[in-house]
Amino acid sequence: MDRRMRVAEALLLVVILIYCPVSAFVAGADGPVTFHEALENGNTTFFCDATPDTSDDELMLLVWYKDNESIYSYDARVRSEWSNIAFNVSGRVIADMDKNPTSLTISALREDDQAFYHCRVEFLLSPTRNTGVNFTVTVLPSEPFFLDELGNTVTNKTRPYYEGDTLVLSCLVIGGRPPPKISWYSGETLVDATYSVSDIPNVWQNELYLPLTRDNTETLSCRASNTRLVPALEASLQIELYLPANQVKIQWVQGTLDGALRSGETVTAQCEAYGSHPPPDITWRLNNKRLKKHSNQTWDNSLQAAISFIQITPTMADNQATLTCEAVNPIMPSERNSKADVINLNVTFGPKVEIMKLDDEKRNEVVELDPLHLKCDVKANPPADKYMWYFNDMKIKPGGMWGDDISTNELFIDEVSRRHAGQYACAASNTIGETRADPISIIVLYPPECKKPGITLDKETLNCNVKGLPVPDTYFWHIQQIDHDIQHLTTGSSSLSLDHVAGPLSENLNVSCEAENGIASQYKSCTKIISLGHLRPPQPQQCDLAFEYKEFQIRCIPVENATHYELSLWRLSKTNTSLVLDRKKSVEVGNSLALTQNGDEPWLVRGALGLLNTGDEAGAAACNRYGCSGALLLRPTENLLSAAASPWWKFLTEKDAVICIGVVLLVIMFACSTVLAIRLARRSRKKAQVPVIQVLQLDDVTRDYLNRTGGNFIYPRASVVQSKIEQQ
Ligand SMILES: *[C@@H]1O[C@H](CO)[C@@H](O)[C@H](O)[C@H]1NC(C)=O
Ligand SMILES: *[C@@H]1O[C@H](CO)[C@@H](O)[C@H](O)[C@H]1NC(C)=O
Ligand SMILES: *[C@@H]1O[C@H](CO)[C@@H](O)[C@H](O)[C@H]1NC(C)=O
Ligand SMILES: *[C@@H]1O[C@H](CO)[C@@H](O)[C@H](O)[C@H]1NC(C)=O
Ligand SMILES: *[C@@H]1O[C@H](CO)[C@@H](O)[C@H](O)[C@H]1NC(C)=O
Ligand SMILES: *[C@@H]1O[C@H](CO)[C@@H](O)[C@H](O)[C@H]1NC(C)=O
Ligand SMILES: *[C@@H]1O[C@H](CO)[C@@H](O)[C@H](O)[C@H]1NC(C)=O
Ligand SMILES: *[C@@H]1O[C@H](CO)[C@@H](O)[C@H](O)[C@H]1NC(C)=O
Ligand SMILES: *[C@@H]1O[C@H](CO)[C@@H](O)[C@H](O)[C@H]1NC(C)=O
Ligand SMILES: *[C@@H]1O[C@H](CO)[C@@H](O)[C@H](O)[C@H]1NC(C)=O
């Protein structure tokens, strides 16, 4: 049954085809033409209006042709359809005749589906209706790919280039219909659309020549397109462009005060290096000296910059030093691959002050009346704006001995006086602080000048009292004695021993001296009349008179410093009660006659006087080169005088007792020898013969006389003197 049906249909179709031999379509003449495009492997739907023009009319037959070949037909009267088996491969053709307009959908489109299609509709009454479809099947090309100038494929990334190089790269696609357009884009910017056919069939390419600068390092993309139905096929590449840093920037990020650095305080600087690819190596230098302790460099992706930090603690010496941050691209050749930023450090610090003496060879000495020029040497940042001077720790105020201009860094004194000697310091201040220099001592030199009490005599040494700086080293002496020529002496010290003075010293000396210290000669010499009287020895105090060896002897215990003694004998005038100088003699000490030692007794000065009478007096004075002391005067006692009187046997010889003489002489001789033996024995046994000490009873006349002649009298008391002698 079915089979019969089908046979019937086939027969019908044959009838139709026979009835409808016209299958060619002439565009415009036969009917309207639409354009249609679809992708290979895609699907498309053709539409064909099968509605009759009038309601009494009716559809009879609808046929689709590919070019002049029918591919589908529909017989409305029996509602049967037919498809060309060669075309309806895998059942890819689906028709919907109930739709308005009717549709014919073709899937799995092939390249050879591109053709001119038309639909022919037969009505019962109306004339045949034709509708044309100019159908294009678009074949997409392959994905784009890249070849470099050597024909190597390039993926993801180009080989490295340097700035200024020309990038040569081909973008290729295989196949595609219609031929695709190939365009190069840098980022979103079209840079090349000059595509062309390649040597290889069915391959399309676009070769790009792109001079590389740091401004076109964006992603390169190649777009291939031959239809508007789908977006262009696109492949992209990163350009590997080695670039040195093009901007390096140092800035302080921590520790500065109003942008200034402070000596000794730590600051942090940051260096940003832009534009380097790959990231640079950042190095820091201070005055060309490499700094090691910087932070590990980081890469800031948002800034596209390498960042490094460094901490420095600048000192005074670093003021105006250059801080350099250099970014070096490590993989580029060393020429022109670095970029640096340099800043000068402005290190502020309080003043460093030193005081200096100008314009003289000697560091801290100045001669009186010369100028003194001191300078305050200041190092400070910012520069010092105020100076102060100190003298012996006191701030110098203008005026007086300092002049009015004392607020600069120089102190100038026109004529130095001794008051200017002392310690000088200066201080300077700036906005950071104030500093005072270590003081220097200024010594004012001046010529010698006489100082009170001028010339002094200390024991037997003359001293010239002068002051002067430096201390004088040469002294000139002028010594004049009465009636003598002036003596000129030179000494290396301020003292002059009288031993060096020639001539008599018993009179006053007119002495003058002046000193020299190399600065200038003494303006006025020191002068003084020096009296030497007190250098004479003291008056002998312990003397006695003795009658020995048939004459009177004066004996004295020596006094200190006496070089000789002067003995004198005064006789009572026969006519009046005056004492008259009878003789005077000098006894040298050291002369053995003058000094005798008697057993344990001390040395005595002894002088023979001859015979003395009642009222006569003997004197002893001690002397040295400065003159003699006053004389000590002694008067013989009655005992002594009588002991010295003529012996009684002398009377006998005068009055003729010749017979008795021999006997008496023998008796006397015996007695005398006995006495002598006893005396000698006593003398050797006992200490001393008790001297007869005199108490002086001078009359007024003698005293006046002696006063006039300059004698110095002492009235010893016998008991005192005697006891002293006994003690010895
Ligand atoms: C035709 O193609 C579209 C998209 O290309 C798809 O959604 C649809 O299912 C296809 N139709 C057929 C019948 O294959
Ligand atoms: C139909 O097409 C075939 C092949 O393309 C051709 O040989 C033939 O002459 C055509 N006929 C008409 C009527 O155009
Ligand atoms: C194409 O062929 C399939 C099965 O081969 C069929 O089901 C379908 O109806 C055919 N298309 C038309 C329009 O006849
Ligand atoms: C279809 O269109 C193409 C261009 O779009 C044209 O070259 C061709 O001649 C057309 N075919 C017909 C049969 O009109
Ligand atoms: C290219 O990039 C893709 C995706 O990013 C990656 O899977 C592939 O390995 C890369 N090829 C090369 C040669 O780097
Ligand atoms: C250094 O910094 C100080 C303080 O900010 C400023 O007064 C001075 O002028 C600066 N010096 C220089 C050379 O820039
Ligand atoms: C810097 O890096 C080195 C080695 O890469 C590491 O030893 C050191 O601790 C790092 N320093 C800082 C401050 O991160
Ligand atoms: C001391 O000597 C100086 C000269 O050397 C002389 O000018 C002066 O008058 C003398 N003085 C006396 C008191 O003789
Ligand atoms: C004796 O001379 C010395 C030295 O000049 C002196 O120190 C001493 O005081 C003198 N003695 C007397 C008693 O003057
Ligand atoms: C005392 O006599 C002496 C001579 O013996 C004589 O030189 C002297 O002037 C007399 N003095 C008086 C005061 O008469």
Side-chain angles (χ1 to χ4, degrees):
M1 174 93 167
D2 276 0
R3 200 166 168 189
R4 230 187 283 156
M5 275 279 288
R6 271 185 202 149
V7 170
E9 282 170 16
L11 284 172
L12 179 71
L13 189 67
V14 169
V15 169
I16 289 168
L17 289 175
I18 291 161
Y19 274 181
C20 309
V22 184
S23 60
F25 179 88
V26 178
D30 293 335
V33 175
T34 58
F35 288 89
H36 226 79
E37 188 189 355
L39 295 178
E40 189 187 23
N41 300 322
N43 60 41
T44 188
T45 301
F46 299 147
F47 297 98
C48 186
D49 188 1
T51 314
D53 288 339
T54 54
S55 52
D56 54 345
D57 205 351
E58 117 182 48
L59 171 69
M60 298 291 289
L61 183 68
L62 184 151
V63 185
W64 275 101
Y65 299 89
K66 179 189 178 188
D67 290 331
N68 58 5
E69 195 183 344
S70 58
I71 51 169
Y72 173 82
S73 69
Y74 174 68
D75 186 346
R77 289 161 301 180
V78 293
R79 296 186 64 82
S80 72
E81 61 178 5
W82 165 88
S83 67
N84 186 336
I85 295 180
F87 188 76
N88 184 9
V89 181
S90 323
R92 64 178 184 134
V93 180
I94 295 162
D96 187 350
M97 291 298 134
D98 297 329
K99 259 186 158 175
N100 187 17
T102 63
S103 69
L104 181 76
T105 298
I106 307 159
S107 313
L109 287 169
R110 299 188 309 250
E111 207 178 332
D112 58 5
D113 289 332
Q114 174 169 321
F116 190 85
Y117 293 80
H118 71 272
C119 164
R120 175 180 157 206
V121 186
E122 302 285 347
F123 297 98
L124 185 64
L125 304 174
S126 306
T128 303
R129 183 189 294 165
N130 281 300
T131 309
V133 177
N134 190 343
F135 181 55
T136 307
V137 173
T138 299
V139 178
L140 291 177
S142 70
E143 286 269 327
F145 63 95
F146 305 100
L147 291 180
D148 64 14
E149 57 265 58
L150 300 175
N152 301 316
T153 54
V154 179
T155 50
N156 295 3
K157 210 175 190 183
T158 66
R159 72 167 169 85
Y161 289 90
Y162 295 123
E163 192 175 15
D165 288 353
T166 299
L167 174 80
V168 180
L169 211 56
S170 293
C171 177
L172 297 93
V173 293
I174 300 170
R177 197 191 59 186
K181 298 177 177 176
I182 303 175
S183 311
W184 284 99
Y185 284 82
S186 171
E188 288 305 315
T189 311
L190 176 65
V191 289
D192 191 351
T194 58
Y195 49 93
S196 62
V197 186
S198 81
D199 309 338
I200 313 157
N202 203 32
V203 170
W204 318 93
Q205 72 167 12
N206 184 356
E207 193 166 31
L208 174 69
Y209 294 84
L210 182 66
L212 292 173
T213 67
R214 64 172 65 244
D215 299 325
N216 57 22
T217 56
E218 287 184 81
T219 305
L220 264 188
S221 58
C222 172
R223 298 180 191 175
S225 175
N226 57 355
T227 176
R228 282 198 294 270
L229 295 176
V230 287
L233 297 168
E234 182 171 339
S236 56
L237 274 181
Q238 267 337 103
I239 300 176
E240 182 75 348
L241 179 60
Y242 290 166
L243 288 170
N246 65 335
Q247 195 194 352
V248 176
K249 205 167 70 188
I250 299 177
Q251 62 197 41
W252 300 110
V253 293
Q254 205 192 341
T256 55
L257 201 74
D258 298 334
L261 312 185
R262 180 73 66 86
S263 164
E265 287 182 13
T266 303
V267 285
T268 306
Q270 168 190 292
C271 179
E272 293 170 345
Y274 297 89
S276 174
H277 177 80
D281 290 342
I282 292 179
T283 52
W284 291 91
R285 284 192 183 77
L286 187 61
N287 269 355
N288 293 324
K289 200 173 135 250
R290 187 128 173 212
L291 298 173
K292 295 262 162 61
K293 289 168 87 178
H294 49 86
S295 74
N296 285 347
Q297 174 182 330
T298 54
W299 177 258
D300 185 322
N301 223 2
S302 63
L303 291 174
Q304 287 289 299
I307 298 175
S308 174
F309 293 93
I310 190 149
Q311 281 198 333
I312 54 174
T313 308
T315 63
M316 240 177 77
D318 295 323
N319 188 30
Q320 293 309 314
T322 53
L323 179 67
T324 309
C325 169
E326 186 182 29
V328 177
N329 191 324
I331 63 172
M332 290 182 72
S334 55
E335 67 273 8
R336 69 189 184 88
N337 72 346
S338 77
K339 180 89 181 172
D341 189 20
V342 176
I343 58 174
N344 284 334
L345 303 188
N346 179 5
V347 183
T348 61
F349 49 90
K352 284 270 164 191
V353 191
E354 202 181 339
I355 189 166
M356 297 193 302
K357 178 167 169 287
L358 297 180
D359 66 37
D360 203 335
E361 67 284 359
K362 281 188 181 157
R363 217 183 101 62
N364 52 6
E365 291 176 353
V366 61
V367 174
E368 196 175 29
L369 301 182
D370 279 359
L372 173 64
H373 197 177
L374 296 176
K375 188 178 176 193
C376 201
D377 192 43
V378 177
K379 293 190 181 70
N381 184 24
D385 51 7
K386 199 171 156 215
Y387 298 91
M388 285 139 291
W389 288 90
Y390 293 86
F391 177 66
N392 289 339
D393 261 358
M394 300 278 289
K395 192 165 167 182
I396 294 179
K397 297 205 174 75
M401 62 192 250
W402 302 110
D404 293 323
D405 190 17
I406 51 128
S407 56
T408 67
N409 65 335
E410 293 190 14
L411 183 67
F412 193 82
I413 300 168
D414 271 343
E415 284 192 352
V416 167
S417 74
R418 262 169 258 175
R419 291 179 303 158
H420 290 112
Q423 291 209 314
Y424 287 83
C426 68
S429 68
N430 66 2
T431 54
I432 311 285
E434 178 179 326
T435 318
R436 206 201 285 194
D438 287 340
I440 63 167
S441 284
I442 294 295
I443 295 169
V444 178
L445 305 179
Y446 54 93
E449 60 183 37
C450 205
K451 132 179 128 179
K452 277 191 174 156
I455 298 171
T456 54
L457 176 66
D458 179 17
K459 291 181 184 160
E460 291 176 80
T461 304
L462 287 167
N463 283 305
C464 188
N465 291 297
V466 292
K467 56 180 179 177
L469 258 183
V471 173
D473 52 4
T474 312
Y475 292 79
F476 301 101
W477 299 86
H478 315 284
I479 296 173
Q480 185 159 31
Q481 295 129 312
I482 294 167
D483 298 335
H484 280 76
D485 284 343
I486 195 159
Q487 290 182 56
H488 300 286
L489 296 168
T490 304
T491 57
S493 76
S494 64
S495 53
L496 172 68
S497 167
L498 287 175
D499 295 343
H500 296 119
V501 179
L505 294 171
S506 51
E507 301 291 344
N508 288 346
L509 299 179
N510 179 356
V511 181
S512 72
C513 69
E514 72 249 354
E516 204 177 275
N517 66 352
I519 298 301
S521 52
Q522 187 168 334
Y523 170 63
K524 200 175 152 202
S525 36
C526 313
T527 61
K528 196 153 196 180
I529 306 293
I530 298 287
S531 139
L532 303 173
H534 63 284
L535 291 174
R536 295 172 185 168
Q539 188 183 40
Q541 299 284 317
Q542 296 174 1
C543 299
D544 67 2
L545 283 176
F547 187 75
E548 292 175 325
Y549 313 117
K550 293 184 186 166
E551 57 180 341
F552 282 88
Q553 305 261 353
I554 186 164
R555 305 180 307 176
C556 290
I557 294 178
V559 297
E560 220 178 328
N561 298 347
T563 55
H564 61 281
Y565 292 81
E566 196 173 74
L567 306 181
S568 50
L569 179 59
W570 302 81
R571 295 214 182 269
L572 189 65
S573 167
K574 291 198 169 72
T575 55
N576 53 38
T577 56
S578 300
L579 282 170
V580 178
L581 180 63
D582 180 65
R583 57 189 152 114
K584 211 176 200 177
K585 73 168 179 181
S586 183
V587 179
E588 291 293 325
V589 175
N591 180 338
S592 58
L593 289 178
L595 275 176
T596 60
Q597 195 178 21
N598 218 348
D600 296 332
E601 286 179 14
W603 287 92
L604 287 178
V605 177
R606 180 189 294 270
L609 296 168
L611 290 177
L612 293 183
N613 297 316
T614 307
D616 289 349
E617 293 185 6
C623 303
N624 63 11
R625 60 178 170 145
Y626 303 109
C628 294
S629 68
L632 178 74
L633 291 177
L634 301 177
R635 181 176 292 169
T637 57
E638 291 298 325
N639 290 348
L640 199 58
L641 286 172
S642 58
S646 302
W648 58 269
W649 47 266
K650 238 181 179 176
F651 272 123
L652 293 181
T653 50
E654 286 167 11
K655 290 182 180 176
D656 303 334
V658 180
I659 308 148
C660 296
I661 283 173
V663 178
V664 172
L665 259 177
L666 283 171
V667 171
I668 287 170
M669 279 179 69
F670 176 76
C672 284
S673 62
T674 309
V675 166
L676 197 68
I678 290 168
R679 195 188 263 182
L680 284 172
R682 202 197 296 166
R683 196 182 272 174
S684 58
R685 260 194 348 264
K686 286 175 90 185
K687 278 185 178 176
Q689 164 192 31
V690 177
V692 181
I693 302 300
Q694 305 301 313
V695 178
L696 299 180
Q697 292 293 332
L698 297 182
D699 60 351
D700 294 336
V701 178
T702 309
R703 186 171 295 119
D704 285 346
Y705 173 81
L706 290 172
N707 281 345
R708 278 202 305 281
T709 57
N712 187 11
F713 290 87
I714 288 200
Y715 308 99
R717 274 175 300 169
S719 58
V720 175
V721 177
Q722 192 166 9
S723 69
K724 276 189 183 166
I725 289 172
E726 277 175 346
Q727 280 164 13
Q728 293 169 353

